[in-house]
Amino acid sequence: MLNYDLSDEQNMLRQTVRDFAEKEIKPVRLELDRKEEFSYDLTKKMAALGFFGVTCPQEYGGQGLDYLSYILVVEELARVDGCQAATVAAENSLGIGPLANFGSEAQKQKYLPPLCQEGKLWGFGLTEPGAGSDASNSKTNAVIKDGQWVINGSKIFITNAANDLTAGCTVQAITGDLGNGKKEISCIIVEQGTKGFTSKAMKNKMTWRSSNTAELYYDDVTVPEENLLGNRGEGFKQMMKTLDSGRLAIAAMGLGGAQGAYEEALAYAKERQAFGKSVSSFQVNAFKLADCAVEIEAARNLLYKACWLKDQGRPFGKEAAMAKLYTSEVFHRVANHAVQLHGGYGLMEEYPVAKFYRDQKLLEIGEGTSEIQRLVIARHIGC
Ligand code: CAA
């Protein structure tokens, strides 16, 4: 039987996040963006409200909620500010996710509570300067020497990985040669402050300007052998599984952002007068807004269905890629219409639609470009 109602708990959670985003984030989002400033204050408040570790089991400090609840949190944050949504999405999907899903009991007990409860952040070290879409082509390597991993290499575009709250990073590294032309890839935990591990925040971004994005450098970084995450040689699959789930959160950012841009456009079009009436009453504009409403509704259904599949324990990889692809591209069209409807004012940074327009672009690139989503979907449908 189909049921489109959210539970009372999910509705309450959505309202809590919406109230927080309206009251705490909205007044400062444009200023943070202009100054390209990561907000420690908002990050700590979001952690205190339980937005970190939403699906992580309670025994490790998380909320133990279903995946759709997590997606509602990200959607509501993104409706107001993609940057705060990015902090939360990267923390849950990419920071906490691999540790919770593949970590040993000892690793989970050590690393998860500070991330879920104290607002500490954790990076996902996959992308490298020469390996983005071609994620298995990384150069960072790790060898065992005297019972310890010695890591050398670098990573780039890593969210949450270079600020005062960062506690560490999971790094994908080449740990051997399988002899059949393939490399052995493993994931290793590296704590902040380990000798030889340095990070640098990336500046002058067009998009997500108040989210923290890092370059990471590993120069003979030495960590205990037990910092291996899961089994040796399973690192790439761990990363791919992490991205399957992570794409749902990026899709939530697309959906929330589209919703936010649409609401701005609708309100402005109703208020703005031209030729003696509100511009929303011109059919050319009314039809644009109607198209936005249709696409947002379709995007929401696609995303929530993919979350439902995941929450049922069913395969969801194809639907996650579809939702990520579609919501990012809906956000693209909606943000474009929203700026167009604002006319010249849409080009001014004091109007939030300008920020929505810039923040949107990341979603067609980050956590797998739109082209990679099409490739994943094409493989799923047997092309
Ligand atoms: N789940 C589990 N296993 C998977 C998998 C999945 N979703 N996808 C692939 N695998 C397995 C395959 O089964 C295969 O296993 P075997 O070797 O045992 O056969 C192995 O992984 C290799 O798979 P492929 O041959 O399909 O790998 P590929 O090299 O062709 O790459 C790809 C596939 C889909 C293009 C992949 O490289 C990819 O997703 N690329 C995009 C990466 C991406 O999204 N990067 C952004 C990361 S975000 C970030 O880093 C920064 C941040 O903080 C936001």
Side-chain angles (χ1 to χ4, degrees):
M1 195 174 68
L2 272 177
N3 179 3
Y4 286 101
D5 286 325
L6 296 177
S7 68
D8 289 347
E9 291 77 18
Q10 287 166 333
N11 277 321
M12 262 168 55
L13 178 63
R14 186 197 273 287
Q15 196 55 51
T16 302
V17 184
R18 183 168 290 206
D19 290 346
F20 173 78
E22 289 286 335
K23 189 166 157 263
E24 301 275 352
I25 301 177
K26 199 176 242 182
V28 295
R29 63 180 168 178
L30 298 184
E31 181 67 359
L32 289 171
D33 183 77
R34 192 183 63 73
K35 295 199 300 211
E36 210 171 1
E37 182 182 311
F38 177 84
S39 172
Y40 289 97
D41 179 47
L42 289 176
T43 303
K44 285 177 188 159
K45 284 178 178 161
M46 291 193 292
L49 281 166
F51 299 171
F52 290 3
V54 181
T55 63
C56 187
Q58 288 177 335
E59 61 191 293
Y60 305 114
Q63 304 296 315
L65 298 178
D66 57 293
Y67 214 81
L68 180 56
S69 294
Y70 162 44
I71 286 318
L72 295 173
V73 172
V74 177
E75 179 191 339
E76 285 301 325
L77 293 172
R79 177 180 160 271
V80 171
D81 181 13
C83 301
Q84 308 314 315
T87 302
V88 167
E91 172 76 344
N92 282 274
S93 303
L94 308 180
I96 291 170
L99 295 168
N101 292 327
F102 311 114
S104 66
E105 189 53 36
Q107 287 167 343
K108 289 195 263 196
Q109 286 189 10
K110 178 174 182 191
Y111 294 112
L112 291 176
L115 301 184
C116 294
Q117 296 197 318
E118 294 168 25
K120 295 287 182 194
L121 299 169
W122 198 267
F124 176 74
L126 174 65
T127 302
E128 297 190 1
S133 292
D134 188 6
S136 63
N137 190 31
S138 43
K139 299 280 176 282
T140 297
N141 66 83
V143 291
I144 293 279
K145 232 188 232 173
D146 302 327
Q148 297 199 299
W149 288 110
V150 181
I151 308 167
N152 280 287
S154 67
K155 301 285 170 181
I156 196 166
F157 302 126
I158 312 301
T159 308
N160 288 343
N163 69 51
D164 295 348
L165 293 170
T166 307
C169 183
T170 304
V171 55
Q172 171 179 293
I174 308 299
T175 50
D177 189 340
L178 296 175
N180 53 0
K182 286 189 169 182
K183 299 165 195 161
E184 182 194 75
I185 297 175
S186 307
C187 284
I188 300 172
I189 292 169
V190 179
E191 293 176 19
Q192 209 70 353
T194 307
K195 190 162 171 266
F197 175 37
T198 48
S199 57
K200 191 173 92 185
M202 299 172 76
K203 291 289 173 191
N204 290 324
K205 293 183 290 179
M206 173 190 90
T207 185
W208 281 21
R209 285 168 57 83
S210 57
S211 129
N212 179 247
T213 312
E215 285 178 81
L216 308 178
Y217 303 96
Y218 303 84
D219 185 8
D220 280 335
V221 172
T222 305
V223 298
E225 200 172 349
E226 62 263 25
N227 279 25
L228 182 71
L229 185 72
N231 295 324
R232 186 166 174 165
E234 290 183 0
F236 188 65
K237 286 183 188 173
Q238 292 169 351
M239 289 285 177
M240 290 299 107
K241 283 185 187 160
T242 301
L243 288 174
D244 281 341
S245 301
R247 282 172 191 145
L248 293 169
I250 293 285
M253 294 186 60
L255 174 61
Q259 179 72 39
Y262 160 77
E263 287 175 20
E264 294 286 346
L266 183 60
Y268 182 84
K270 280 162 127 176
E271 188 195 306
R272 171 78 181 177
Q273 298 282 312
F275 305 102
K277 47 188 186 174
S278 70
V279 300
S280 66
S281 62
F282 292 100
Q283 204 174 53
V284 66
N285 295 329
F287 280 14
K288 261 184 202 158
L289 288 161
D291 285 344
C292 291
V294 171
E295 292 214 82
I296 290 169
E297 184 67 17
R300 183 166 285 115
N301 281 301
L302 189 56
L303 173 58
Y304 288 10
K305 156 97 183 292
C307 294
W308 178 82
L309 288 170
K310 181 169 167 56
D311 280 329
Q312 298 293 312
R314 300 198 202 176
F316 66 95
K318 179 182 71 178
E319 289 77 8
M322 286 176 168
K324 197 272 188 191
L325 172 68
Y326 187 66
T327 56
S328 315
E329 296 191 352
V330 166
F331 189 12
H332 180 123
R333 291 189 282 275
V334 172
N336 190 40
H337 285 328
V339 170
Q340 193 69 22
L341 276 161
H342 277 69
Y345 294 107
L347 305 174
M348 303 305 292
E349 288 291 352
E350 58 261 43
Y351 284 79
V353 288
K355 179 173 178 306
F356 278 121
Y357 188 82
R358 286 185 288 101
D359 283 350
Q360 174 282 320
K361 192 60 206 170
L362 189 137
L363 303 181
E364 292 176 293
I365 294 175
E367 276 190 58
T369 60
S370 290
E371 290 76 11
I372 288 294
Q373 305 314 313
R374 288 188 166 87
L375 180 121
V376 169
I377 296 162
R379 286 181 179 183
H380 272 289
I381 62 174
C383 292

